[in-house]
Amino acid sequence: MPSRETLIRAWKLICQAKAMADTYEQNRSVCEYVHSTSSGHEAIQLATAFHLLPVDYVSPYYRDESMLLGLGFSPYELMLQLLAKKDDPFSGGREYYSHPSSVDPAKPGIIHQSSATGMQVIPATGLAQGLKFLEKIKSEKFRKGPAGELPVVICSMGDASITEGEVSEAFQFAVLQNLPVIYLVQDNNWGISVSAEEARVTDAIGYAAGFPGLSCINVDGSDFAESYSVMGEVIAKVRQTRSPWLVRASCPLLGHHTSGVRREFYRTTEDLEEHRKRDPIHKLRQRLLESGYYPEILERISREAALQVKNDFEKSVAAEEPDPAAVADFVFVPTPVTEEKGNRNNEGSEKIVMVDAALYAIREIMEDHPEAILYGQDVGRRLGGVFREAATLAEQFGDHRVFNTAIQEAYIIGSTTGLSAVGVKPIVEVQFGDYIYPGFNQLVSEISKSCYLSNGKFPVQTLIRVPVGAYGGGGPYHSGCIETTLLSIKGIKIVYPSNAADMKGLMKAAFYDPNPLLMLEHKGLYWSKVPGTEQAKTPEPDRDYIIPLGKGRVVLKADDDSIKNGESCCIITYGMGVYWASAASKNFPGKVEIIDLLTLFPLDEDLVYSTVQRHGKCIILTEEQQQNSFAEALAGRISKECFRYLDAPVEVLGALNLPAVPMNILLEKAMLPDAEKLGILIEQVLKS
């Protein structure tokens, strides 16, 4: 049970939380940004925070302001975020209230997380996955508490989160891998205006029964003493057993869902009155009186708390606004790879295929970096990837570093957020580009925004491999090109190699880049089995070969005389397009210049624009469906930037605008661009 000192500390903070909620309500015109408060949830949040150590990690959700107070953040610090001020310690005025991110060494680590309901559960489980891995390999990055305490992860969420499919993916992995994570479910029986009876067939513990090995316990989350005792026991058990738990804390909801969705919109007077009977403040006050504290002492502490909140609020209102000139800061953090290095051309050495170039690059990375891991569907020991792109890696590095996952793209992608935060360097694979969509919540809501919304504290260092492209009758769900969809996401980088040397050099650059990166790998180029793609095989570059991102390459140069006489054009392309362009150009000797972009974002704009300006005629070639594609967007940018140099409109050639790649090989061919179709367009452009 909590000591008298702990009870009085909780009283001070619960009074602060109440004063903060009252202040925000009384100053609605000033508190203009949407926010939630912890009213009714204060006891369980403080009880949880009091047991955590700086070696631990916690993922609070948007109602957890009392937890943040319990961790040591001041009302003033929280209010700076409430009012989106420049010195908001979490995001510099970019994130909602109670959306923390912290690397303060005196407090538990807090990675950034979004407001998307339940989305934090996968990244938080990734934290626990990372801690377990670092503990296993005895990494220097694995920290213990002052008395040797092992770290744990707390993932806090509302009860409405439980129905999200991604929560089940996290529970599944946590149980399967026996991870040191505690899922704290704060159950107030409401999901905005949806009651528990309307939305769920069971509560969180009933749901968790489907995951044997996930230990569960109920607690009265409105009773600080009971919550403190239960959370102390559970946290101690997880420190020792390193196995997952779920704590369901029953709490009243006393405030509004948010400042914009108010309780009177949908809740009855009777419902609110029933919840008020369980107010944690009244319960804690009674406990303190029973412990011997005089009412006068408690009232004095309450007044002092209210005064501090008043002063902090006035100070935060007067605080400086963010500088609009800094709005674009921290989309990415700088990469150490800024120039091409190492020997690309090993004369006389045997040529290798692209899939082997990737395999060898990852092998070298894992040899040099014990914190690097590789996982995804079927990449483990038995198969080594459906394209054999991970063959022998598990045998060499062990099943703890190269392993299979279930079919759960959201976890594969989203867990890298937590892994990266603790210093593990994940390389993961989505089996086919068409299957990446279940992971989009994590890629868009968590990974891409983490660096920007944490003011650069939590860039996500992850390399996500994605086989793409059509050849040989792969059909509708194994042939898609997805670059335009990915490029619509801001905050990630996209690489697209077209030969073995570039595959290895870009793979190394992608791994060393501290930002999230997707490597699109064309299946038709993996083995150079498609006619005309023999040049995708190259001698293997040296171990230290690396290519900076955002630098394209001239694959074929046009003759100076053709350029001078206005008889040339350039083709801007990537992936399989390089080989269609190379084949088509043979019919126009000296008249075609081919640029391989290598990286779609960041894009080598200098190379693209300077090349177009020299030729005055340009074709953008893509395998994607043409309409509304990256290629068409690039054509528009070129038209604007190079307008006065152009002798003809910028042309685009892509696949037909169909919903999917058909299975039949003849239909597939009819849909896709090829050298013959490109040749017709080149002839038209050269004559224009």
Side-chain angles (χ1 to χ4, degrees):
M1 297 300 291
S3 65
R4 282 166 53 89
E5 292 76 13
T6 299
L7 287 170
I8 205 69
R9 178 187 173 201
W11 176 251
K12 174 185 175 182
L13 295 179
I14 207 169
C15 288
Q16 284 185 356
K18 183 180 188 309
M20 290 162 69
D22 291 345
T23 299
Y24 304 161
E25 184 67 12
Q26 293 159 10
N27 294 272
R28 289 174 60 186
S29 61
V30 177
C31 305
E32 59 183 319
Y33 302 111
V34 174
H35 58 272
S36 294
T37 69
S38 57
S39 298
H41 292 233
E42 302 96 336
I44 184 63
Q45 293 180 17
L46 292 171
T48 301
F50 286 3
H51 286 291
L52 296 179
L53 302 172
V55 297
D56 297 324
Y57 284 85
V58 58
S59 284
Y61 86 123
Y62 56 79
R63 201 175 294 285
D64 279 348
E65 65 178 357
S66 286
M67 186 180 293
L68 298 176
L69 291 172
L71 293 175
F73 293 100
S74 68
Y76 176 64
E77 290 175 301
L78 302 187
M79 291 170 183
L80 288 173
Q81 187 173 55
L82 171 83
L83 301 176
K85 296 293 187 172
K86 176 182 178 181
D87 293 329
D88 154 27
F90 305 130
S91 70
R94 297 172 175 183
E95 246 308 7
Y96 292 104
Y97 181 58
S98 193
H99 284 61
S101 55
S102 174
V103 292
D104 185 340
K107 297 181 177 69
I110 308 176
I111 61 174
H112 174 267
Q113 66 187 45
S114 74
S115 291
T117 301
M119 295 303 102
Q120 77 273 26
V121 183
I122 285 178
T125 306
L127 285 169
Q129 180 186 349
L131 291 177
K132 180 174 181 177
F133 175 75
L134 294 176
E135 184 178 4
K136 181 177 180 62
I137 67 171
K138 297 180 171 57
S139 170
E140 293 180 356
K141 297 177 181 178
F142 184 75
R143 298 183 302 139
K144 297 182 180 180
E149 299 95 339
L150 297 176
V152 301
V153 176
I154 300 284
C155 177
S156 178
M157 68 188 101
D159 52 301
S161 301
I162 291 296
T163 55
E164 279 285 1
E166 295 188 13
V167 173
S168 69
E169 291 195 19
F171 286 3
Q172 150 79 12
F173 198 90
V175 171
L176 191 65
Q177 298 290 329
N178 210 34
L179 300 181
V181 58
I182 300 164
Y183 301 107
L184 172 60
V185 180
Q186 300 177 50
D187 190 342
N188 59 37
N189 266 346
W190 284 100
I192 308 185
S193 67
V194 181
S195 68
E197 291 75 17
E198 290 176 275
R200 301 186 293 282
V201 297
T202 184
D203 62 23
I205 289 186
Y207 184 77
F211 300 90
L214 180 56
S215 302
C216 299
I217 191 171
N218 273 305
V219 63
D220 181 354
S222 67
D223 187 316
F224 174 79
E226 181 182 333
S227 296
Y228 184 86
S229 177
V230 168
M231 291 307 299
E233 292 174 5
V234 171
I235 290 172
K237 286 178 181 177
V238 176
R239 291 198 195 283
Q240 182 179 9
T241 65
R242 320 303 288 151
S243 57
W245 273 74
L246 184 145
V247 177
R248 175 183 169 269
S250 175
C251 303
L253 179 59
L254 303 182
H256 308 286
H257 170 69
T258 67
S259 56
V261 182
R262 304 181 65 76
R263 61 193 177 199
E264 58 266 22
F265 293 173
Y266 58 92
R267 296 180 66 183
T268 66
T269 302
E270 293 77 14
D271 172 66
L272 287 167
E273 190 56 39
E274 283 299 312
H275 280 247
R276 290 190 185 104
K277 292 176 182 177
R278 300 179 59 219
D279 191 331
I281 296 178
H282 300 329
K283 289 187 177 183
L284 181 56
R285 185 176 187 277
Q286 186 60 36
R287 174 81 65 168
L288 284 161
L289 293 174
E290 292 171 357
S291 299
Y293 282 99
Y294 292 112
E296 295 81 4
I297 295 176
L298 302 183
E299 290 304 317
R300 176 178 56 79
I301 293 173
S302 179
R303 289 194 301 271
E304 290 172 351
L307 180 60
Q308 179 184 351
V309 167
K310 178 178 181 295
N311 292 336
D312 282 359
F313 184 72
E314 292 173 353
K315 183 180 174 184
S316 64
V317 169
E320 188 178 355
E321 297 287 345
D323 181 1
V327 68
D329 290 352
F330 301 117
V331 175
F332 298 110
V333 292
T335 175
V337 181
T338 56
E339 59 185 63
E340 188 171 2
K341 293 182 179 180
N343 184 11
R344 176 186 178 88
N345 299 306
N346 283 318
E347 296 293 337
S349 64
E350 184 178 352
K351 291 184 177 181
I352 61 171
V353 293
M354 280 183 66
V355 73
D356 284 346
L359 174 66
Y360 301 158
I362 292 177
R363 177 181 295 155
E364 291 170 359
I365 286 168
M366 298 189 78
E367 287 172 347
D368 295 342
H369 300 278
E371 69 276 21
I373 63 174
L374 170 67
Y375 60 97
Q377 296 167 33
D378 298 304
V379 302
R381 184 184 298 267
R382 292 189 192 90
L383 185 60
V386 294
F387 300 102
R388 304 293 288 156
E389 71 280 6
T392 73
L393 292 179
E395 286 88 342
Q396 181 174 352
F397 299 107
D399 295 330
H400 65 297
R401 294 186 66 191
V402 181
F403 55 90
N404 293 327
T405 68
I407 301 172
Q408 43 183 208
E409 287 82 6
Y411 190 86
I412 292 168
I413 290 173
S415 57
T416 65
T417 303
L419 287 160
S420 173
V422 300
V424 180
K425 299 183 183 298
I427 304 170
V428 301
E429 181 179 306
V430 175
Q431 203 164 68
F432 292 94
D434 302 87
Y435 297 158
I436 198 171
Y437 301 106
F440 252 55
N441 271 340
Q442 292 295 322
L443 189 60
V444 175
S445 297
E446 307 297 337
I447 290 178
S448 69
K449 295 177 173 60
S450 181
C451 185
Y452 183 69
L453 294 180
S454 68
N455 256 14
K457 294 191 292 295
F458 286 104
V460 180
Q461 183 175 15
T462 178
L463 169 53
I464 303 170
R465 299 182 63 187
V466 189
V468 296
Y471 83 101
Y477 301 105
H478 297 80
S479 305
C481 289
I482 58 172
E483 55 265 31
T484 295
T485 304
L486 293 174
L487 286 162
S488 69
I489 307 168
K490 313 309 172 192
I492 60 174
K493 299 183 180 182
I494 312 292
V495 170
Y496 204 138
S498 65
N499 61 61
D502 289 339
M503 173 73 90
K504 186 172 183 181
L506 289 170
M507 185 76 75
K508 294 288 185 78
F511 176 80
Y512 289 112
D513 196 305
N515 302 288
L517 191 141
L518 283 90
M519 177 167 277
L520 305 183
E521 305 172 12
H522 199 293
K523 307 186 307 296
L525 300 178
Y526 265 159
W527 301 95
S528 289
K529 290 182 178 180
V530 176
T533 63
E534 292 79 10
Q535 295 304 309
K537 294 189 289 187
T538 70
E540 183 187 0
D542 286 347
R543 187 185 191 94
D544 60 348
Y545 180 63
I546 196 165
I547 303 172
L549 306 185
K551 295 294 182 183
R553 190 183 305 280
V554 179
V555 174
L556 177 69
K557 291 185 67 67
D559 293 343
D560 289 340
D561 287 343
S562 295
I563 298 173
K564 183 178 179 181
N565 295 330
E567 299 173 344
S568 68
C569 71
C570 62
I571 300 175
I572 313 298
T573 189
Y574 53 94
M576 187 64 77
V578 173
Y579 299 95
W580 291 328
S582 296
S585 68
K586 293 177 181 178
N587 294 322
F588 307 92
K591 298 181 183 297
V592 175
E593 188 149 323
I594 303 172
I595 301 298
D596 184 352
L597 292 174
L598 300 184
T599 307
L600 305 187
F601 191 88
L603 184 70
D604 192 344
E605 293 183 344
D606 290 342
L607 177 61
V608 169
Y609 296 155
S610 64
T611 302
V612 174
Q613 289 168 9
R614 284 191 297 109
H615 293 274
K617 300 183 181 74
C618 174
I619 298 171
I620 314 295
L621 176 61
T622 179
E623 184 175 330
E624 275 197 302
Q625 291 90 329
Q626 179 172 328
Q627 207 166 65
N628 301 320
S629 65
F630 158 68
E632 286 197 337
L634 179 57
R637 289 161 63 186
I638 291 172
S639 297
K640 179 181 178 181
E641 295 295 330
C642 305
F643 179 76
R644 64 192 182 97
Y645 298 94
L646 290 173
D647 298 322
V650 178
E651 296 286 350
V652 177
L653 179 61
L656 299 182
N657 300 306
L658 306 176
V661 180
M663 177 73 76
N664 182 276
I665 293 176
L666 295 178
L667 296 178
E668 177 189 89
K669 179 177 174 58
M671 177 187 180
L672 297 179
D674 58 24
E676 183 180 353
K677 296 172 185 176
L678 178 60
I680 295 171
L681 182 58
I682 292 173
E683 187 171 9
Q684 293 173 355
V685 168
L686 290 175
K687 289 180 178 179
S688 61

